[in-house]
Amino acid sequence: MERKQTRAVDIGGVGIGGENPVRVQSMCNTDTRDVLSTVAQITRLAEAGCEIVRLAVPDDKAAAALAAIRASSPVPLIADIHFDHRLALAALEAGMDGLRINPGNIGDESKVDIVVRAALERRVPIRIGVNGGSLEKDLLHRHGGPTPQAMVESGLRHVAMLERRGFTDIKISLKTSSVLNTIAAYRLMAERVDYPLHIGITEAGTLVRGAVKSAVGLGILLWEGIGDTLRVSLTHDPVAEIGVAYEILRALGLRQRGPEIISCPTCGRTEINLITLAEQVEEALRGVEEVFTVAVMGCVVNGPGEAREADIGIAGGRGLGIIFRRGEVVRKVRGDANLLPEFMKEIEAFLRERRS
């Protein structure tokens, strides 16, 4: 696949577009006015691999908390602003690294002038965030609803408002809960502009449903070379979004972070609690950033052979486990209770060898 060439923008030292990798973002679901909780969640997101975090700024109290949050954040932050241009100005004063606004809904032309001037002075990029659920009434009437064409026209309308003021440090997003409409909208926009595109399926749903919709929609766009940064939107702990995002990127060969865990789906030959073991291994390795392949298999007869390409793996049978590297048996472990701790010892030894 060949990525569409876009302009590069800088968000607090993290490059987006151009030759930069596809960046992974998320959004806090804490109350921004609660500094400690918000910083704690940002830290957890960063530890999971999130590179940019967005914060809702619904009122003056939230805006007043931004400086303290920014001072403690390990990653760049974007302020999500609606309707009130004063909140955008306060976010810029607080040192936020980016804004997510729709220029047309923060006030009249004079208010847009003020915000754009302040962003220009601080070299802070603006993401134009078009959402299918909040399109302008004239576009809904003209296009008969929140169609991909309506979303693109809305985005271009807001781009023009910024360009007229000499502002081109722009990202664009076109989000809807419809996978097909989202794909169509981004395809159309990618033909019209070379600004970096932030891709996502909004309101995608709970963990499984949201992950599936995001994998299909974002996977298709990324395979077509469209998308410079992404968010997987889940009705869940936002930290889970990061794991899903990286697995999408890994599956497409775009980025890798942490071990890839392969495991069999179980069958009538399985004689251990493989589901629990696989989940425990995945959880134990969650904070590991090195890229390698781990296999968790349920059959000592076929497991090592079927997963021979794995860097390290375990295959369990009745009361017995076989630990192997690249298909070669390293040692045997007796007793189901010993499978996880002994396997983790082998993984730790494997990582020490790699790191040395």
Side-chain angles (χ1 to χ4, degrees):
M1 85 193 74
E2 183 176 348
R3 280 182 64 191
K4 182 185 186 308
Q5 286 301 301
T6 56
R7 308 184 191 191
V9 301
D10 185 276
I11 307 287
V14 175
I16 293 176
E19 299 300 320
N20 294 291
V22 179
R23 300 295 188 180
V24 174
Q25 301 192 33
S26 186
M27 185 174 186
C28 280
N29 62 6
T30 55
D31 184 339
T32 307
R33 292 163 290 200
D34 185 340
V35 174
L36 293 179
S37 294
T38 301
V39 170
Q41 189 170 79
I42 292 169
T43 302
R44 289 174 57 232
L45 285 164
E47 290 171 349
C50 186
E51 296 167 294
I52 299 171
V53 176
R54 181 159 48 110
L55 305 178
V57 187
D59 55 32
D60 292 335
K61 288 184 178 179
L66 293 178
I69 295 170
R70 184 65 197 89
S72 299
S73 174
V75 294
L77 301 179
I78 294 176
D80 192 277
I81 308 294
H82 290 277
F83 308 122
D84 191 340
H85 82 287
R86 296 176 303 110
L87 297 177
L89 296 176
L92 292 169
E93 287 286 343
M96 297 295 278
D97 303 287
L99 294 177
R100 185 272 189 184
I101 62 173
N102 283 339
N105 75 8
I106 59 170
D108 58 29
E109 294 280 332
S110 66
K111 305 297 191 302
V112 177
D113 288 338
I114 294 170
V115 171
V116 170
R117 192 179 309 121
L120 274 171
E121 290 172 356
R122 293 167 173 80
R123 298 183 178 179
V124 171
I126 293 175
R127 169 156 73 94
I128 294 171
V130 177
N131 191 299
S134 56
L135 288 178
E136 298 94 317
K137 291 182 179 179
D138 66 309
L139 296 180
L140 291 172
H141 178 72
R142 184 184 314 143
H143 293 278
T147 64
Q149 293 78 8
M151 294 177 65
V152 170
E153 186 172 344
S154 175
L156 294 175
R157 177 182 291 181
H158 290 106
V159 167
M161 292 179 70
L162 297 183
E163 288 179 334
R164 285 197 300 270
R165 292 163 171 83
F167 192 94
T168 57
D169 216 2
I170 298 169
K171 293 184 301 169
I172 303 171
S173 64
L174 307 160
K175 295 188 180 182
T176 170
S177 58
S178 164
V179 171
L180 297 180
N181 282 351
T182 299
I183 292 170
Y186 278 109
R187 283 172 172 166
L188 290 171
M189 185 62 83
E191 294 174 353
R192 301 289 299 273
V193 302
D194 64 354
Y195 291 116
L197 299 178
H198 170 105
I199 60 175
I201 309 295
T202 195
E203 300 156 2
T206 51
L207 184 59
V208 174
R209 187 182 301 273
V212 170
K213 290 177 70 174
S214 295
V216 172
L218 305 188
I220 289 172
L221 289 170
L222 291 166
W223 181 250
E224 294 179 0
I226 298 171
D228 301 284
T229 178
L230 63 85
R231 180 197 176 189
V232 172
S233 298
L234 300 176
T235 309
H236 204 274
D237 182 339
V239 173
E241 299 178 355
I242 310 308
V244 176
Y246 276 105
E247 288 305 318
I248 293 171
L249 295 172
R250 189 202 301 272
L252 292 167
L254 291 171
R255 291 190 72 176
Q256 297 189 71
R257 185 184 191 277
E260 179 176 13
I261 299 174
I262 60 175
S263 58
C264 64
T266 75
C267 69
R269 290 188 297 271
T270 306
E271 294 181 310
I272 61 170
N273 189 345
L274 184 70
I275 296 172
T276 298
L277 180 60
E279 290 174 345
Q280 288 173 333
V281 171
E282 184 174 62
E283 182 60 33
L285 295 175
R286 193 171 298 282
V288 176
E289 296 185 20
E290 285 95 339
V291 176
F292 60 103
T293 307
V294 179
V296 183
M297 310 298 286
C299 177
V300 294
V301 176
N302 297 322
E306 291 176 349
R308 67 171 55 90
E309 298 304 317
D311 293 298
I312 188 167
I314 187 168
R318 184 181 299 174
L320 176 69
I322 293 176
I323 297 175
F324 55 91
R325 292 194 189 188
R326 289 282 174 176
E328 297 296 325
V329 175
V330 175
R331 66 187 178 96
K332 297 179 180 179
V333 178
R334 298 199 178 276
D336 290 354
N338 296 321
L339 294 180
L340 179 65
E342 294 302 315
F343 187 45
M344 292 311 302
K345 288 179 184 177
E346 287 294 332
I347 290 178
E348 289 165 8
F350 168 81
L351 288 174
R352 281 196 301 271
E353 292 172 15
R354 275 204 158 192
R355 291 163 181 167
S356 64

